Amino acid sequence: HVVELNGSLKQLTQGKFDVDTAKWSPNGANIALLVNTAALMGQPYTDISVKNRWPEPVQDPDLSYVRDIYLISAKGGELTRLTPRKHVIKDLSWAPDGKEIAFIGHEFTWHVLTNNDIWILPVEEGAPQRLTGDFDRDIGISVISDLRVSTPSPGIVWAPDASCLYFGAVDIPHVDIYSVHRKYGVVTHVTESKTVCGFSLSDNGTVIAYTSMNAIQPEELWITNDEGARQVTQCNDSLLQSLKLSSPTHFTYTNQQGKEIDGWIILPVDCQNGTQYPTILQMHGGRAGCYVDAMYFEWQILAANGYAVIYSNARGSSGYGQDYKRAGLYNHAILEFKDTMDFVDSAIQRFPFI
């Protein structure tokens, strides 16, 4: 729907399908939409997907993962499809000149465990081209924390001159902002060793504002510009001064396959040598979720009440690259269980007081 200046609503699309995302073109003439083509056409989704990659039989079209980018005039009319009916698309962003659309998505190569990339799509004519193919991380901000429901993610943000695009990605144990060169596909760190939950780029492209947290610090506002990074709010300082928090200790362990896996332990507050402590094992879901350097209020409550907390990123987690993430494909819960049990055994051996 479009809201007219007089307050009335005008419906632009018709049919038994959902519009996942709708974004105006820079000149306001068109709107780019994310649409489930299978539902729009009323076809089983196996008819429009790469068939040998779908283990399920013919399905209800509403169950398709595939999304396409369509254009529609801001005045209404027919939908024009721009993408080739084979991408799982999460978000899109218009280039400043309106000639290209960047989108976050993948071609379902490893089913739902495929890393998202940034793709560039010509609006007039041409196939989408993958821009971040050499960046072996999943595109998108992903922070597991119980301190907030969510932080709005901007998705892809174009530089005002379209020379590069900004995005967030997880590289364990951090979630940083990166830029990718529009022409050469070179990825560069913008922030270093942060856990970014959301960001915004100034109109002239010289300043990035973002919120960031760590394991013992809730979100605060930061600014990054040519002079470096600085924290600009201290909203939680007075509260933190009244609390005793326990910082996680990082360690690695070797699973049965000889692979090195990350693990962490949060010790009980005022932990005493020679005392045995009950221990809580935390496991993320997802199944491609991941633990990063973020604050978990529940875990600090446990630590304050005499419990140790241990957690790890078993194979199948994001933040380590495509091979690590896809290890759980068609082995759901099998590899995770083996790695988790190896992790528990290693933690007990390393920390005999738990």
Side-chain angles (χ1 to χ4, degrees):
H1 293 79
V2 172
V3 180
E4 305 285 358
L5 293 178
N6 62 9
S8 62
L9 290 175
K10 179 181 179 181
Q11 183 171 337
L12 297 185
T13 59
Q14 305 281 342
K16 295 181 179 181
F17 61 91
D18 292 326
V19 174
D20 292 357
T21 298
K23 295 191 176 181
W24 290 87
S25 62
N27 64 8
N30 298 296
I31 302 173
L33 311 175
L34 271 187
V35 172
N36 177 351
T37 297
L40 183 150
M41 300 179 66
Q43 293 181 350
Y45 70 66
T46 47
D47 289 350
I48 62 166
S49 304
V50 183
K51 295 181 181 180
N52 63 353
R53 295 178 184 164
W54 300 90
E56 301 90 348
V58 173
Q59 295 283 344
D60 184 312
D62 285 332
L63 300 180
S64 173
Y65 292 96
V66 174
R67 296 294 183 270
D68 281 298
I69 297 175
Y70 287 80
L71 280 190
I72 188 171
S73 168
K75 298 178 181 179
E78 296 295 320
L79 292 171
T80 300
R81 180 171 52 84
L82 302 183
T83 46
R85 299 164 71 177
K86 67 176 184 179
H87 292 89
V88 179
I89 302 176
K90 306 294 185 182
D91 197 13
L92 62 89
S93 178
W94 286 87
D97 63 5
K99 295 181 179 180
E100 294 178 322
I101 293 174
F103 67 85
I104 298 174
H106 60 78
E107 292 183 316
F108 216 69
T109 305
W110 301 108
H111 208 273
V112 296
L113 299 182
T114 309
N115 277 344
N116 287 293
D117 277 301
I118 294 176
W119 301 71
I120 301 297
L121 174 69
V123 173
E124 292 297 328
E125 184 178 358
Q129 300 295 318
R130 188 167 60 168
L131 187 60
T132 53
D134 294 329
F135 182 67
D136 189 24
R137 291 296 183 269
D138 191 37
I139 304 298
I141 292 175
S142 177
V143 180
I144 303 174
S145 173
D146 57 6
L147 287 192
R148 79 242 184 313
V149 176
S150 66
T151 299
S153 174
I156 310 165
V157 178
W158 288 80
D161 62 0
S163 61
C164 65
L165 300 89
Y166 295 90
F167 62 94
V170 180
D171 185 22
I172 300 297
H174 300 112
V175 185
D176 277 306
I177 302 170
Y178 299 82
S179 67
V180 57
H181 195 279
R182 166 62 191 90
K183 184 176 181 180
Y184 300 111
V186 177
V187 174
T188 304
H189 264 99
V190 176
T191 61
E192 294 279 356
S193 301
K194 301 293 184 187
T195 300
V196 175
C197 301
F199 73 93
S200 178
L201 182 68
S202 64
D203 289 342
N204 62 6
T206 61
V207 180
I208 296 180
Y210 57 95
T211 58
S212 178
M213 67 162 63
N214 60 41
I216 56 172
Q217 172 72 60
E219 282 182 79
E220 297 286 0
L221 181 63
W222 288 71
I223 294 291
T224 289
N225 55 22
D226 291 339
E227 299 177 356
R230 61 186 175 91
Q231 184 178 332
V232 296
T233 63
Q234 293 81 34
C235 297
N236 301 287
D237 283 5
S238 60
L239 172 63
L240 293 176
Q241 289 172 6
S242 67
L243 301 176
K244 283 188 175 182
L245 301 179
S246 180
S247 296
T249 297
H250 172 261
F251 65 98
T252 61
Y253 67 98
T254 303
N255 66 12
Q256 294 177 9
Q257 286 71 39
K259 296 184 179 297
E260 192 172 79
I261 311 292
D262 284 312
W264 294 265
I265 183 170
I266 297 177
L267 299 176
V269 173
D270 298 327
C271 180
Q272 300 293 321
N273 289 332
T275 302
Q276 292 292 120
Y277 292 97
T279 301
I280 306 295
L281 168 66
Q282 297 283 357
M283 297 175 289
H284 67 68
R287 54 190 148 168
C290 59
Y291 288 131
V292 297
D293 183 22
M295 191 171 187
Y296 304 90
F297 180 74
E298 174 193 341
W299 301 0
Q300 293 296 334
I301 291 291
L302 292 170
N305 283 274
Y307 291 90
V309 179
I310 58 174
Y311 55 103
S312 74
N313 285 323
R315 281 174 294 169
S317 300
S318 295
Y320 295 92
Q322 183 63 84
D323 288 345
Y324 194 89
K325 184 178 179 180
R326 72 178 177 86
L329 187 63
Y330 307 126
N331 289 299
H332 187 36
I334 298 174
L335 295 182
E336 292 96 322
F337 177 79
K338 291 180 179 178
D339 282 358
T340 300
M341 292 298 97
D342 289 342
F343 167 62
V344 171
D345 291 341
S346 175
I348 292 173
Q349 183 177 10
R350 186 180 296 257
F351 306 100
F353 54 84
I354 65 173

